[in-house]
Amino acid sequence: MNDSNNRDLSQKNNNLNYNRVNSIPDRIDSSNRVVEDSSLTLNSLYGTSTTSNTNENTQVNKESIQPNMIKNEPQQSAVNSSVGINHTSEQGSSSTSQSFTFSSLNHQEQNQVQNSNYQHLFHQNFQSTMQGNDEELLKAFIGNNYESIITKPFNFAAFFFSSLYLFYRKMFGYALVVFVLNFVVLNLIKNFTVTAIFNVIIGLCANKLYIFYARKKIEKIKLENTQKDIAEIKKICSNKGGVSIGLTILGFIIEVVSTIIILVIMLTLGVASIFGNLFLNLGGKNGTYNGVMSLDSSVNMNQEFSITVPSQFKNDSTSSEYQYEYTSSSGGFNKCSISFTSPEDFSNAEDLIRQIAKYETDNNPTTVTKNSINNIEWYWFTLNDSFGKKYYYGTTKNNKVFLLEYEIQEDAPSDCEQYQQQILNSIQAK
């Protein structure tokens, strides 16, 4: 009886275990479906997935699974945002694995990074290639007289032609600067030595300045033409550099027009005498003093200068000459007089005053002094003889010489000496 009951109880337990084992595949399939659903969801979010389903390749030994080995709780998923998502579910010796891999950057950002890397590598290769050809590019840019410009320290063409040579070499901005400096040196300083020194400096610096200019231009050409090969870049350098007759002619025209405009402005402002020697060395005339001078009757002195003379002086002026005289009541040589005119055939006041000084003193050394009064440059000296004292003043305005003579005879009024400086200080250029 007991044995029969025990057999029935054992049979029921076996049936119960068998039913439990039979339910395991259903649970595994259910778990896999959950994971697969998760795979679809994540795959739609991140675009890529790698699925490893070991359920199909796994054989379940139902008899070997014990009741206490069955676990219905799935293992939690592990997520790594920078690498991927891994999901694993285990049922005894059976396992199901889902692996999801995605990048934290989207495709557009990845392409941008790749393009940037390619451009950087291309730029490095381009620069490396160009560095080996810099001298070839410089030779193509300079063109004529390459060896002379590279090796010689002095440029005679720049010494003689200064700004025009720079126009010839297409250095437009530098040429304009040199022209302005040369204009100032030639017309304000008016010293041959200073002008010669300025031209020597231009000759010494021209080659170095041009090489510096050429290298800057070549670097700019290389940066603007990174897609071109060395032959194409050499051709561009040759076109951008070299020489230009047309630009030289244009530069000459600009210099002439600029000079005329400046002189007109100075003349309008009444200070054009500053530039009086501009064309002196280009055909200006300067005669020879032999004790007698002819007056230029075409000059209207009232339009050139204003002068204030004390009331004691008698006015005998004409349109071409300021003339005043002041006489005392005693003595044979008893007057002081003023004469302010423009002599013919002279264009350089300093030269005329030195000729007069040499002639009137019988070649004895005489000091010629330069003074600026009311923006008028005067060259002058004093002559003393047995009849009294005579002052000679000369100035240049608009390429004409104006001569002021102030004579004080030995018996002239005593206040004539002080009037001399007073009258000189009153003269203004118009």
Side-chain angles (χ1 to χ4, degrees):
M1 181 74 177
N2 292 330
D3 293 336
S4 177
N5 291 333
N6 289 332
R7 283 195 300 272
D8 291 339
L9 180 60
S10 175
Q11 184 65 33
K12 291 179 179 180
N13 289 334
N14 290 334
N15 292 336
L16 178 61
N17 289 335
Y18 183 79
N19 291 333
R20 290 178 177 175
V21 170
N22 284 337
S23 65
I24 290 173
D26 296 335
R27 296 177 185 178
I28 294 174
D29 290 341
S30 175
S31 176
N32 286 338
R33 282 194 296 273
V34 173
V35 174
E36 289 170 358
D37 291 341
S38 302
S39 172
L40 291 173
T41 303
L42 291 171
N43 188 34
S44 63
L45 288 173
Y46 300 105
T48 60
S49 68
T50 303
T51 306
S52 176
N53 189 346
T54 61
N55 182 57
E56 296 178 359
N57 299 323
T58 303
Q59 296 181 353
V60 179
N61 189 349
K62 299 180 181 179
E63 288 79 10
S64 64
I65 298 177
Q66 300 299 324
N68 57 357
M69 296 176 60
I70 298 174
K71 297 180 181 179
N72 294 323
E73 298 178 359
Q75 184 176 343
Q76 294 182 351
S77 299
V79 180
N80 186 336
S81 61
S82 64
V83 178
I85 296 178
N86 297 318
H87 183 90
T88 304
S89 176
E90 294 183 350
Q91 291 288 350
S93 62
S94 301
S95 65
T96 302
S97 173
Q98 294 288 341
S99 175
F100 305 94
T101 304
F102 62 93
S103 173
S104 60
L105 299 174
N106 58 34
H107 291 296
Q108 184 177 1
E109 292 172 332
Q110 290 177 350
N111 290 336
Q112 290 176 349
V113 172
Q114 290 176 351
N115 290 337
S116 176
N117 291 337
Y118 292 150
Q119 291 175 0
H120 179 68
L121 290 174
F122 179 82
H123 182 72
Q124 284 184 331
N125 292 334
F126 178 82
Q127 291 295 329
S128 177
T129 302
M130 288 299 123
Q131 284 176 359
N133 295 285
D134 278 350
E135 289 306 314
E136 291 185 27
L137 297 179
L138 183 62
K139 186 174 182 179
F141 188 94
I142 294 176
N144 297 339
N145 299 323
Y146 167 77
E147 293 295 336
S148 176
I149 290 174
I150 291 295
T151 58
K152 292 184 178 180
F154 192 83
N155 190 315
F156 284 97
F159 170 77
F160 287 110
F161 299 103
S162 60
S163 59
L164 289 179
Y165 174 78
L166 300 182
F167 280 119
Y168 178 69
R169 280 289 174 181
K170 300 183 180 180
M171 301 170 66
F172 197 87
Y174 293 104
L176 290 178
V177 172
V178 171
F179 164 69
V180 172
L181 292 176
N182 194 27
F183 187 90
V184 171
V185 169
L186 182 63
N187 297 287
L188 293 184
I189 300 177
K190 291 187 290 188
N191 185 292
F192 176 78
T193 303
V194 175
T195 302
I197 292 173
F198 177 80
N199 289 345
V200 168
I201 293 173
I202 296 298
L204 287 171
C205 297
N207 288 344
K208 295 181 179 65
L209 181 63
Y210 183 60
I211 293 172
F212 170 78
Y213 167 82
R215 292 192 187 279
K216 279 187 65 177
K217 287 291 185 181
I218 291 170
E219 287 301 318
K220 184 178 180 181
I221 292 170
K222 285 160 57 177
L223 291 175
E224 292 176 350
N225 297 276
T226 55
Q227 303 298 327
K228 293 182 173 60
D229 58 26
I230 183 64
E232 293 175 305
I233 293 179
K234 284 176 67 175
K235 185 176 180 179
I236 296 172
C237 289
S238 179
N239 292 334
K240 294 289 185 180
V243 298
S244 173
I245 299 297
L247 193 57
T248 306
I249 297 173
L250 176 62
F252 177 76
I253 294 173
I254 290 174
E255 291 186 1
V256 172
V257 172
S258 300
T259 301
I260 293 173
I261 291 174
I262 292 173
L263 288 176
V264 169
I265 293 174
M266 295 298 101
L267 180 63
T268 303
L269 297 177
V271 292
S273 59
I274 296 175
F275 302 97
N277 287 336
L278 178 63
F279 299 110
L280 178 62
N281 297 323
L282 300 176
K285 56 185 179 179
N286 217 50
T288 301
Y289 178 78
N290 55 9
V292 180
M293 289 182 294
S294 299
L295 302 184
D296 188 349
S297 59
S298 65
V299 176
N300 189 331
M301 293 298 296
N302 287 317
Q303 295 178 356
E304 301 292 341
F305 296 92
S306 65
I307 185 171
T308 302
V309 179
S311 59
Q312 291 90 334
F313 285 77
K314 179 184 176 182
N315 187 356
D316 295 322
S317 301
T318 65
S319 61
S320 59
E321 179 182 11
Y322 283 120
Q323 188 170 0
Y324 298 88
E325 187 176 289
Y326 176 28
T327 306
S328 68
S329 59
S330 62
F333 299 95
N334 59 351
K335 67 178 181 179
C336 57
S337 60
I338 304 167
S339 175
F340 192 15
T341 62
S342 177
E344 285 185 332
D345 300 327
F346 291 92
S347 58
N348 189 321
E350 181 181 6
D351 180 67
L352 174 60
I353 294 298
R354 292 190 182 280
Q355 286 192 50
I356 294 174
K358 184 177 180 180
Y359 182 88
E360 297 293 347
T361 59
D362 296 326
N363 294 322
N364 291 326
T366 303
T367 301
V368 174
T369 305
K370 177 182 177 181
N371 288 115
S372 180
I373 303 173
N374 300 327
N375 293 323
I376 302 174
E377 289 186 349
W378 297 101
Y379 294 90
W380 65 280
F381 75 99
T382 304
L383 176 65
N384 292 295
D385 57 21
S386 57
F387 300 103
K389 180 187 294 186
K390 196 169 185 178
Y391 295 89
Y392 291 88
Y393 291 88
T395 186
T396 305
K397 180 185 178 185
N398 301 333
N399 213 33
K400 290 182 178 295
V401 171
F402 295 86
L403 179 65
L404 173 66
E405 300 173 76
Y406 189 91
E407 182 181 11
I408 305 175
Q409 295 180 349
E410 60 178 352
D411 296 325
S414 59
D415 49 0
C416 282
E417 189 70 41
Q418 68 183 52
Y419 287 150
Q420 175 264 332
Q421 191 63 44
Q422 178 182 332
I423 293 170
L424 184 64
N425 291 338
S426 73
I427 297 175
Q428 299 278 351
K430 293 184 178 180

